Amino acid sequence: MTSTKRQLGLSIVELMIALAISSFLILGITQIYLDNRRSYAFQQNQAGNLENGRFATLTINHYLGKAGYRRNPSTLLEAVFPARAAGGGCQAFKAGHAITGLAASEGTGFCIRYQPQASEELDCQGEASGVEYDKAFPSAPASEGDLTLLAFKYEPSEGALQQGRLLCKSLNTATPQYGELLTGIADLRLDFGVGSNDVMEKKVSSYIPQADWSPDSGAIRSVRYALLLASRDRQRDSDDSKVLSDWLATAADATKSRIQKADNKSLYQVASSTQTIRNFMP
């Protein structure tokens, strides 16, 4: 006799249970993937802010460190840095001064001047200085044409905050034009540490916001700045940001309105420094 075996298969209940378990597993794996992706994006944007902050402070401090440089330190400051009228977006330089503020129409920024350290030294736009040196300490008096004159300007973005830029231009060229030096800057604050207009007095008596400073306020001996750095949009889960709230608490009304309007859940970081104009100090 022949025996027949019957293959019964899955019942509808078993199938539904299998589908339910599979769905829970897929949902769990998907959530883990999304959480890991969000965490990775957060860390990458925070790291980007940190890196931008380090690069920005190194760059700004580098150029501020050049302000007032003389190849022959025994030469009088007034001889190397003669008085210069306002122009090119910069306020006037008094005799012996190597740093000044931007004109009010230009916004936030500063201008510096210095002697190149070496022949054909590059400026912030990669242009070589036309000055050539054949001696370590030149004996001939310096002329105003030997100086490198640079203007630095903060340009806020009307759209995404991370598109704010720090620009630089060389006033030694025939047609000076601003070029991008740094980006990712949502806001910039700038204060000048001033002393007497007497270039022999090496003392900072007070700090004045750049917008309130004029050449009659005193010689700039120190520059204090703070940068608000912004990441890409939609990186925060919450509408609140402690860094942004603290920054806006002391911001001007126009700045506060601009940032609040443009904020789209970016991550923020503050980078700040105080740089003494070392070539003017003992």
Side-chain angles (χ1 to χ4, degrees):
M1 298 183 58
T2 357
S3 64
T4 306
K5 287 190 180 178
R6 212 172 203 189
Q7 184 67 39
L8 295 178
L10 294 174
S11 68
I12 188 67
V13 175
E14 292 173 323
L15 185 59
M16 291 183 69
I17 291 172
L19 287 173
I21 294 172
S22 301
S23 299
F24 280 119
L25 290 174
I26 291 171
L27 286 173
I29 292 170
T30 303
Q31 189 60 48
I32 292 171
Y33 169 76
L34 292 175
D35 289 344
N36 286 340
R37 183 176 177 181
R38 190 180 299 112
S39 175
Y40 175 78
F42 179 88
Q43 292 173 7
Q44 287 294 102
N45 281 275
Q46 282 288 61
N49 278 342
L50 285 170
E51 186 61 31
N52 285 348
R54 291 192 191 100
F55 182 69
T57 52
L58 283 172
T59 302
I60 295 173
N61 290 349
H62 168 73
Y63 284 106
L64 288 174
K66 291 188 173 201
Y69 175 76
R70 296 167 289 165
R71 295 194 76 245
N72 189 345
S74 63
T75 310
L76 293 176
L77 284 166
E78 295 91 335
V80 180
F81 304 108
R84 183 182 187 277
C90 300
Q91 295 190 50
F93 286 93
K94 288 197 171 185
H97 295 185
I99 180 167
T100 189
L102 279 186
S105 59
E106 292 286 296
T108 305
F110 57 89
C111 300
I112 63 171
R113 55 181 179 171
Y114 59 90
Q115 281 188 309
Q117 184 180 20
S119 300
E120 299 186 355
E121 182 176 313
L122 302 181
D123 60 27
C124 62
Q125 293 185 311
E127 297 291 332
S129 166
V131 183
E132 298 225 357
Y133 299 114
D134 55 0
K135 294 180 181 178
F137 297 102
S139 54
S143 67
E144 191 173 1
D146 293 341
L147 299 177
T148 297
L149 180 57
L150 305 178
F152 297 85
K153 172 185 175 181
Y154 171 61
E155 182 184 73
S157 171
E158 296 302 325
L161 292 174
Q162 66 271 19
Q163 293 176 0
R165 307 183 296 168
L166 182 66
L167 309 177
C168 177
K169 70 177 176 181
S170 171
L171 299 182
N172 297 89
T173 60
T175 55
Q177 297 288 334
Y178 281 111
E180 183 178 289
L181 189 64
L182 301 167
T183 189
I185 304 173
D187 196 19
L188 170 65
R189 291 177 184 168
L190 193 63
D191 298 322
F192 293 151
V194 300
S196 167
N197 275 319
D198 181 359
V199 294
M200 298 306 294
E201 186 176 331
K202 315 295 185 182
K203 179 182 176 183
V204 174
S205 57
S206 63
Y207 279 89
I208 300 175
Q210 181 248 316
D212 299 332
W213 182 89
S214 73
D216 293 327
S217 302
I220 299 172
R221 304 291 182 190
S222 177
V223 175
R224 182 171 64 195
Y225 63 88
L227 301 160
L228 179 66
L229 305 163
S231 72
R232 293 179 300 170
D233 292 341
R234 296 184 295 278
Q235 299 301 314
R236 294 195 324 262
D237 293 330
S238 169
D239 289 333
D240 299 325
S241 168
K242 180 70 166 58
V243 175
L244 183 60
S245 298
D246 291 346
W247 183 273
L248 294 180
T250 54
D253 291 340
T255 300
K256 186 182 296 186
S257 175
R258 174 181 66 85
I259 294 178
Q260 286 176 333
K261 182 179 178 182
D263 176 42
N264 191 12
K265 295 189 176 181
S266 296
L267 300 176
Y268 297 97
Q269 178 108 8
V270 174
S272 60
S273 180
T274 300
Q275 183 76 1
T276 299
I277 309 304
R278 57 185 176 86
N279 295 310
F280 279 178
M281 305 301 277

Coordinates of all heavy atoms in Angstrom, one line a residue, residues 169-217:
K169 N 40.9 93.0 1.3 CA 41.4 93.6 0.0 C 42.7 94.3 0.3 O 42.9 94.8 1.4 CB 40.3 94.5 -0.6 CG 40.1 95.8 0.1 CD 39.1 96.7 -0.7 CE 38.8 98.0 0.1 NZ 37.8 98.8 -0.6
S170 N 43.5 94.3 -0.7 CA 44.8 95.1 -0.7 C 44.6 96.4 -1.3 O 44.1 96.5 -2.5 CB 45.9 94.3 -1.4 OG 47.0 95.1 -1.5
L171 N 44.9 97.5 -0.6 CA 44.8 98.8 -1.2 C 46.0 99.2 -1.9 O 46.1 100.4 -2.4 CB 44.5 99.9 0.0 CG 43.2 99.6 0.8 CD1 43.0 100.7 1.8 CD2 42.0 99.6 -0.1
N172 N 47.0 98.3 -2.1 CA 48.1 98.6 -2.9 C 47.9 98.4 -4.4 O 48.7 98.8 -5.2 CB 49.3 97.7 -2.5 CG 49.7 97.9 -1.0 OD1 49.2 97.3 -0.1 ND2 50.7 98.8 -0.8
T173 N 46.8 97.7 -4.7 CA 46.5 97.5 -6.2 C 45.8 98.7 -6.8 O 45.2 99.6 -6.1 CB 45.6 96.3 -6.3 OG1 44.4 96.5 -5.6 CG2 46.3 95.0 -5.8
A174 N 45.8 98.8 -8.1 CA 45.2 99.9 -8.8 C 43.7 99.9 -8.6 O 43.0 101.0 -8.4 CB 45.5 99.9 -10.3
T175 N 43.0 98.8 -8.6 CA 41.6 98.7 -8.4 C 41.3 97.7 -7.3 O 41.0 96.5 -7.6 CB 40.9 98.2 -9.7 OG1 41.5 97.0 -10.2 CG2 41.0 99.3 -10.8
P176 N 41.3 98.1 -6.0 CA 41.1 97.2 -4.9 C 39.7 96.5 -4.9 O 38.7 97.2 -5.1 CB 41.3 98.1 -3.7 CG 42.1 99.3 -4.2 CD 41.6 99.5 -5.6
Q177 N 39.7 95.2 -4.8 CA 38.4 94.5 -4.7 C 38.5 93.5 -3.6 O 39.5 92.8 -3.3 CB 38.2 93.7 -6.0 CG 38.0 94.6 -7.3 CD 36.7 95.4 -7.3 OE1 35.7 94.9 -6.7 NE2 36.7 96.5 -8.0
Y178 N 37.4 93.4 -2.8 CA 37.3 92.4 -1.7 C 37.3 91.0 -2.2 O 36.7 90.7 -3.2 CB 36.1 92.7 -0.8 CG 36.2 93.8 0.1 CD1 35.5 95.0 -0.1 CD2 37.1 93.8 1.2 CE1 35.6 96.1 0.8 CE2 37.2 94.8 2.1 CZ 36.4 96.0 1.9 OH 36.5 97.0 2.8
G179 N 38.1 90.1 -1.5 CA 38.0 88.7 -1.8 C 37.7 88.0 -0.5 O 38.0 88.5 0.6
E180 N 37.1 86.8 -0.6 CA 36.7 86.0 0.5 C 37.9 85.4 1.3 O 38.8 84.8 0.7 CB 35.8 84.9 0.1 CG 35.3 84.0 1.3 CD 34.3 82.9 0.8 OE1 33.2 83.3 0.4 OE2 34.7 81.8 0.8
L181 N 38.0 85.7 2.6 CA 39.1 85.1 3.4 C 38.5 84.0 4.3 O 39.2 83.0 4.4 CB 39.6 86.3 4.3 CG 40.9 86.0 5.1 CD1 42.1 85.7 4.1 CD2 41.3 87.2 5.9
L182 N 37.4 84.2 4.9 CA 36.8 83.2 5.8 C 35.3 83.2 5.5 O 34.7 84.2 5.1 CB 37.0 83.6 7.3 CG 38.4 83.7 7.8 CD1 38.5 84.4 9.1 CD2 39.1 82.3 7.8
T183 N 34.7 82.0 5.8 CA 33.2 81.9 5.7 C 32.6 81.1 6.8 O 33.4 80.6 7.7 CB 32.8 81.2 4.3 OG1 31.4 81.2 4.1 CG2 33.3 79.7 4.3
G184 N 31.3 81.0 6.9 CA 30.7 80.3 8.0 C 30.5 81.2 9.2 O 30.2 80.7 10.3
I185 N 30.5 82.5 9.0 CA 30.4 83.4 10.2 C 29.1 84.1 10.2 O 28.7 84.8 9.3 CB 31.5 84.5 10.0 CG1 32.9 83.9 9.9 CG2 31.5 85.5 11.2 CD1 34.0 84.9 9.6
A186 N 28.3 83.8 11.3 CA 26.9 84.3 11.4 C 27.0 85.8 11.9 O 26.1 86.6 11.6 CB 26.1 83.5 12.3
D187 N 28.0 86.1 12.7 CA 28.1 87.5 13.2 C 29.5 87.7 13.7 O 30.3 86.8 14.0 CB 27.1 87.7 14.4 CG 26.9 89.2 14.7 OD1 27.2 90.0 13.8 OD2 26.4 89.5 15.8
L188 N 29.9 89.0 13.8 CA 31.2 89.4 14.2 C 31.1 90.6 15.1 O 30.4 91.6 14.7 CB 32.2 89.7 13.0 CG 33.5 90.3 13.4 CD1 34.4 89.4 14.2 CD2 34.2 90.7 12.1
R189 N 31.8 90.6 16.3 CA 31.9 91.7 17.2 C 33.3 92.1 17.3 O 34.2 91.3 17.4 CB 31.3 91.4 18.5 CG 29.8 91.2 18.5 CD 29.3 90.8 19.9 NE 27.9 90.5 19.8 CZ 27.2 89.9 20.8 NH1 27.8 89.6 21.9 NH2 25.9 89.7 20.7
L190 N 33.5 93.4 17.3 CA 34.9 94.0 17.2 C 35.0 95.2 18.2 O 34.3 96.1 18.1 CB 35.2 94.4 15.8 CG 36.6 94.7 15.4 CD1 37.5 93.4 15.5 CD2 36.7 95.1 13.9
D191 N 36.0 95.1 19.1 CA 36.3 96.2 20.0 C 37.8 96.5 19.9 O 38.6 95.7 19.7 CB 36.0 95.8 21.5 CG 34.6 95.5 21.7 OD1 33.7 96.2 21.1 OD2 34.3 94.6 22.5
F192 N 38.1 97.8 20.0 CA 39.4 98.3 19.9 C 39.9 98.7 21.3 O 39.2 99.5 22.0 CB 39.6 99.5 19.0 CG 39.3 99.2 17.5 CD1 38.8 100.1 16.7 CD2 39.6 97.9 17.0 CE1 38.6 99.8 15.3 CE2 39.4 97.6 15.7 CZ 38.9 98.6 14.8
G193 N 41.1 98.2 21.7 CA 41.7 98.7 23.0 C 42.6 99.9 22.7 O 43.5 99.8 21.9
V194 N 42.2 101.0 23.2 CA 42.9 102.3 22.8 C 43.7 102.8 24.0 O 43.4 102.6 25.2 CB 41.8 103.3 22.4 CG1 41.1 102.8 21.2 CG2 40.9 103.7 23.5
G195 N 44.7 103.6 23.6 CA 45.5 104.4 24.6 C 45.6 105.8 24.1 O 44.9 106.3 23.2
S196 N 46.7 106.4 24.5 CA 46.9 107.8 24.1 C 47.4 107.8 22.6 O 47.9 106.8 22.1 CB 48.0 108.4 25.0 OG 48.5 109.6 24.4
N197 N 47.2 109.0 22.0 CA 47.7 109.1 20.6 C 49.2 109.2 20.6 O 49.8 109.2 19.5 CB 47.0 110.3 19.9 CG 45.7 110.0 19.3 OD1 45.6 108.9 18.7 ND2 44.7 110.9 19.4
D198 N 49.8 109.4 21.7 CA 51.2 109.4 21.8 C 51.8 108.0 21.6 O 51.5 107.1 22.4 CB 51.7 110.0 23.2 CG 53.2 110.0 23.4 OD1 53.9 109.7 22.4 OD2 53.6 110.5 24.4
V199 N 52.5 107.8 20.5 CA 52.9 106.5 20.2 C 53.9 105.9 21.2 O 54.2 104.7 21.2 CB 53.5 106.5 18.7 CG1 52.5 106.8 17.7 CG2 54.7 107.4 18.6
M200 N 54.5 106.7 22.0 CA 55.5 106.2 23.0 C 54.8 105.7 24.2 O 55.4 105.0 25.0 CB 56.4 107.4 23.4 CG 57.2 107.9 22.3 SD 58.2 106.6 21.4 CE 59.3 106.1 22.7
E201 N 53.5 105.9 24.4 CA 52.8 105.4 25.6 C 52.2 104.1 25.3 O 51.4 103.9 24.4 CB 51.7 106.4 26.0 CG 51.0 106.0 27.3 CD 49.9 107.0 27.7 OE1 50.1 108.2 27.4 OE2 49.0 106.6 28.4
K202 N 52.7 103.1 26.0 CA 52.4 101.7 25.7 C 51.3 101.2 26.7 O 51.6 100.4 27.7 CB 53.6 100.8 25.8 CG 54.8 101.3 25.1 CD 54.6 101.4 23.6 CE 55.9 101.8 22.9 NZ 55.8 101.9 21.5
K203 N 50.1 101.7 26.6 CA 49.1 101.3 27.6 C 47.7 101.3 26.9 O 47.4 102.2 26.1 CB 49.1 102.3 28.7 CG 48.1 102.1 29.8 CD 48.2 103.2 30.8 CE 47.1 103.1 31.9 NZ 47.2 104.2 32.9
V204 N 46.9 100.3 27.3 CA 45.5 100.2 26.9 C 44.7 100.7 28.0 O 44.6 100.1 29.1 CB 45.1 98.8 26.5 CG1 43.6 98.7 26.2 CG2 45.9 98.3 25.3
S205 N 44.0 101.8 27.8 CA 43.2 102.4 28.9 C 41.7 102.0 28.9 O 41.1 101.9 29.9 CB 43.2 104.0 28.8 OG 42.8 104.4 27.5
S206 N 41.2 101.6 27.7 CA 39.8 101.2 27.6 C 39.5 100.5 26.3 O 40.3 100.6 25.3 CB 38.8 102.4 27.8 OG 39.0 103.3 26.7
Y207 N 38.4 99.8 26.2 CA 38.0 99.2 25.0 C 36.7 99.9 24.4 O 35.8 100.2 25.2 CB 37.7 97.7 25.2 CG 38.9 96.8 25.2 CD1 39.6 96.6 26.4 CD2 39.4 96.3 24.0 CE1 40.7 95.8 26.4 CE2 40.5 95.5 24.0 CZ 41.2 95.3 25.2 OH 42.3 94.5 25.2
I208 N 36.7 100.2 23.1 CA 35.7 100.9 22.5 C 35.1 100.0 21.3 O 35.9 99.5 20.5 CB 36.2 102.2 21.9 CG1 36.7 103.1 23.0 CG2 35.1 103.0 21.2 CD1 37.3 104.4 22.5
P209 N 33.8 99.9 21.2 CA 33.3 99.2 20.0 C 33.7 99.8 18.7 O 33.8 101.1 18.6 CB 31.7 99.3 20.2 CG 31.5 99.5 21.7 CD 32.7 100.3 22.1
Q210 N 34.0 99.0 17.7 CA 34.6 99.6 16.5 C 33.6 100.6 15.9 O 34.1 101.6 15.3 CB 34.8 98.4 15.5 CG 35.4 98.9 14.1 CD 34.4 98.7 13.0 OE1 33.7 97.7 12.9 NE2 34.3 99.7 12.1
A211 N 32.3 100.4 16.0 CA 31.4 101.4 15.4 C 31.5 102.8 16.1 O 31.2 103.8 15.5 CB 30.0 100.9 15.5
D212 N 32.0 102.8 17.3 CA 32.1 104.1 18.1 C 33.5 104.7 18.0 O 33.7 105.8 18.5 CB 31.7 103.9 19.5 CG 30.3 103.4 19.7 OD1 29.4 103.7 18.8 OD2 30.0 102.7 20.7
W213 N 34.4 104.0 17.4 CA 35.8 104.5 17.4 C 36.0 105.5 16.3 O 35.4 105.3 15.2 CB 36.7 103.3 17.3 CG 38.2 103.7 17.3 CD1 39.0 103.8 18.4 CD2 39.0 104.0 16.2 NE1 40.3 104.1 18.0 CE2 40.3 104.3 16.7 CE3 38.8 104.1 14.8 CZ2 41.4 104.6 15.8 CZ3 39.8 104.4 14.0 CH2 41.1 104.7 14.5
S214 N 36.9 106.4 16.5 CA 37.4 107.3 15.5 C 38.9 107.6 15.7 O 39.4 107.3 16.8 CB 36.6 108.7 15.5 OG 37.0 109.4 16.6
P215 N 39.6 108.1 14.7 CA 41.0 108.3 15.0 C 41.3 109.2 16.2 O 42.4 109.1 16.7 CB 41.5 109.0 13.6 CG 40.5 108.4 12.6 CD 39.2 108.3 13.3
D216 N 40.4 110.0 16.6 CA 40.6 110.9 17.7 C 40.4 110.2 19.0 O 40.6 110.7 20.1 CB 39.7 112.1 17.6 CG 40.0 113.0 16.5 OD1 41.2 113.1 16.1 OD2 39.1 113.7 15.9
S217 N 39.9 108.9 19.0 CA 39.6 108.2 20.2 C 40.9 107.7 20.9 O 40.9 107.3 22.0 CB 38.7 107.0 19.9 OG 37.5 107.4 19.4

